Amino acid sequence: MFKHIMVPVDLHMPPAVVKALDVAADFASSHGSRVTLVHVTDQQVKGAHTLGSSGEELAALASKMAESSGASVEALPIHSVDVGSEIDSILTRTAKELQADLIVIATHMPGILDYVFSSHASHLVLHSEISVFVVR
């Protein structure tokens, strides 16, 4: 059903992100999908590795997910000069470039500011051309 799953990852790891990773791992093992964990960072990226501790953390997360699900899992750090203002367009563009057919993304319960500024998950739901599975 789904061949390539993209999972945006916040390395601060709120509980919803852990749930989103579990959902993606379950889909991947059930459907034989490959998974790409995407982390948008302001740290420097060389090749496919972030220079710094977050690169090691992302690689370890991908390795752990591959072991638990049996799926092919890749870590993809993406450099951004201004993560806050660019993340939505970066995630939308990356899903298209990866030719992913499902995005599994964590979100939070809506607060008052979410009625003024949409969440990243909301942006992907509204602007992505592929299926988006939102996990709370």
Side-chain angles (χ1 to χ4, degrees):
M1 179 177 236
F2 297 109
K3 293 181 173 134
H4 191 179
I5 302 169
M6 181 180 104
V7 184
V9 175
D10 176 357
L11 291 176
H12 294 106
M13 301 297 286
V17 174
V18 174
K19 280 176 65 176
L21 291 170
D22 290 344
V23 167
D26 187 48
F27 268 105
S29 62
S30 298
H31 299 285
S33 311
R34 63 190 176 107
V35 178
T36 302
L37 304 181
V38 176
H39 175 62
V40 181
T41 179
D42 59 359
Q43 294 180 358
Q44 291 299 312
V45 175
K46 183 175 183 180
H49 303 286
T50 303
L51 303 178
S53 61
S54 67
E56 295 166 8
E57 194 175 341
L58 185 63
L61 193 59
S63 178
K64 181 179 174 187
M65 186 179 194
E67 283 179 34
S68 68
S69 68
S72 169
V73 182
E74 176 186 0
L76 178 63
I78 299 174
H79 178 263
S80 170
V81 174
D82 185 358
V83 175
S85 67
E86 296 180 329
I87 191 167
D88 291 332
S89 61
I90 288 171
L91 292 175
T92 304
R93 182 182 67 241
T94 302
K96 198 179 270 191
E97 289 171 356
L98 290 172
Q99 298 179 334
D101 50 6
L102 176 65
I103 299 170
V104 177
I105 186 167
T107 193
H108 56 276
M109 290 297 292
I112 191 73
L113 284 178
D114 292 307
Y115 294 100
V116 178
F117 305 105
S118 68
S119 68
H120 304 305
S122 175
H123 179 86
L124 284 171
V125 167
L126 293 172
H127 298 282
S128 180
E129 297 175 5
I130 64 172
S131 297
V132 180
F133 190 112
V134 180
V135 178
R136 273 198 195 139

